[in-house]
Amino acid sequence: MVFKRLLGSPGGGGPSVDTVLEPGPVRPGGTLTGQVRLVGGDTAFDVEQVALELVARVRDGEDGNGVAVPFERFAIGGGFRLGEGEARTVPFGVTLPWETPVTELEGRELDVRLGVRTELAVTGARESEADDAPGSALGPESGLDPDPDPGLGLGLDPLGVGPLPAQEAILGAFRRLGYGLRSAGLEHGRIGGTGQRLPFHQEIGLTPAPSYADRVEEIELTFLTHPGGMDVVLEADKRGGGNGGDGDDTGHDALSRFTVGHDDARDWAAEVDGWVRELVEHREAYGSDSAYGHGGPHSSGPGIG
């Protein structure tokens, strides 16, 4: 059996594939729906499996373009024969991981690239037709662009993910308090003490509100979501500090975690202001590199793993 990653039209007389996602962003934990449209090649093929793989571009500390990290895979069909020139559609509905990062906020696209890769396991293909290039770099001309570049062996369809209501409420509170969105990216590693499942996490960098501008350089916000709610992890970068990279957090002062429910009704502006105040005051009282947890079910000791 030859395992083929089809990138639209692999050539050589093999089958072609076109994956069509339903329009609009999906939310973490929500259902991604669409269709995989297959057209048979010059000869018949036995399709053993049709699979979708979710891929993220994650910072690697060295290459500014990041690396491709698969983080979920779904088998959506298979066990049929695709005749010569035959058209067949495989519909799907798959559930995104709860920790799937968001790619847009309030209609604004973030510098976060997610994609869906379609793979077929087929028999009857010639070895020369198989595209077994794994693809490691997701640069600006990669398959994550609206017009995928088959030459990179990625064949990714862009995936848009919007925030959950609680995430929107918390980010809206930060905005009303005077914080600004500076950056958003995906970082390798797990945050200890949180039950994080994916091998990376999303960091949303916020410029401080005027009342904290002389005390912190940046607030970094991470949502670690699960079916019962989410952990809100805040990290304060000290004024004048720097990040040494490669896991060196010399520029980071404090890390804290707060747990909220998906349907919590709170005065989010007051809640968020209290979180930041505790974070900054704890750092100033106990010095750099401090970490602690708060909120809902309490848990202490989170740190970047």
Side-chain angles (χ1 to χ4, degrees), residues 5-29:
R5 290 178 176 176
L6 296 179
L7 308 177
S9 180
S16 65
V17 61
D18 180 25
T19 301
V20 180
L21 306 180
E22 289 296 321
V26 189
R27 287 176 170 173

Side-chain angles (χ1 to χ4, degrees), residues 15-295:
S16 65
V17 61
D18 180 25
T19 301
V20 180
L21 306 180
E22 289 296 321
V26 189
R27 287 176 170 173
T31 302
L32 174 67
T33 58
Q35 299 177 342
V36 175
R37 300 171 181 173
L38 303 174
V39 178
D42 294 343
T43 60
F45 290 83
D46 290 320
V47 179
E48 302 295 335
Q49 186 180 85
V50 183
L52 302 177
E53 188 173 54
L54 304 184
V55 182
R57 186 189 71 182
V58 180
R59 296 171 184 161
D60 63 358
E62 297 177 359
D63 186 344
N65 289 329
V67 296
V69 178
F71 63 96
E72 187 61 277
R73 193 172 186 275
F74 309 95
I76 62 169
F80 58 86
R81 187 168 182 81
L82 186 67
E84 178 182 348
E86 177 188 356
R88 180 184 287 257
T89 298
V90 181
F92 62 84
V94 297
T95 302
L96 295 187
W98 280 97
E99 291 179 14
T100 301
V102 299
T103 64
E104 61 179 65
L105 293 174
E106 298 180 334
R108 173 181 173 181
E109 291 190 3
L110 305 176
D111 186 24
V112 174
R113 302 295 183 90
L114 304 180
V116 180
R117 176 159 51 206
T118 305
E119 299 179 347
L120 298 187
V122 302
T123 56
R126 294 185 296 274
E127 289 291 341
S128 61
E129 293 172 355
D131 178 11
D132 58 359
S136 60
L138 299 185
E141 297 181 355
S142 74
L144 285 178
D145 288 340
D147 183 17
D149 178 6
L152 292 179
L154 293 171
L156 300 178
D157 294 281
L159 172 62
V161 180
L164 292 163
Q167 294 172 328
E168 285 185 305
I170 292 170
L171 288 164
F174 272 106
R175 185 186 64 255
R176 293 193 301 274
L177 291 169
Y179 296 83
L181 178 63
R182 172 177 287 173
S183 63
L186 306 183
E187 300 286 344
H188 275 294
R190 290 181 169 86
I191 301 176
T194 62
Q196 180 185 335
R197 300 180 64 86
L198 297 185
F200 58 83
H201 57 277
Q202 183 171 26
E203 288 186 353
I204 300 172
L206 304 172
T207 57
S211 56
Y212 293 103
D214 61 340
R215 302 164 73 182
V216 295
E217 175 70 23
E218 182 179 70
I219 296 292
E220 291 179 351
L221 167 66
T222 295
F223 294 116
L224 296 177
T225 311
H226 51 83
M230 63 183 175
D231 290 335
V232 182
V233 181
L234 297 180
E235 187 170 7
D237 280 6
K238 63 184 176 183
R239 171 63 65 181
N243 190 345
D246 296 325
D248 179 4
D249 292 330
T250 55
H252 300 298
D253 290 75
L255 189 70
S256 61
R257 177 171 66 91
F258 307 87
T259 302
V260 302
H262 289 299
D263 300 320
D264 284 2
R266 309 188 190 186
D267 181 343
W268 287 112
E271 192 85 12
V272 166
D273 187 55
W275 292 347
V276 176
R277 183 172 60 253
E278 282 192 45
L279 176 66
V280 174
E281 291 178 352
H282 181 86
R283 181 208 65 188
E284 293 175 343
Y286 295 97
S288 300
D289 302 320
S290 54
Y292 61 113
H294 294 273

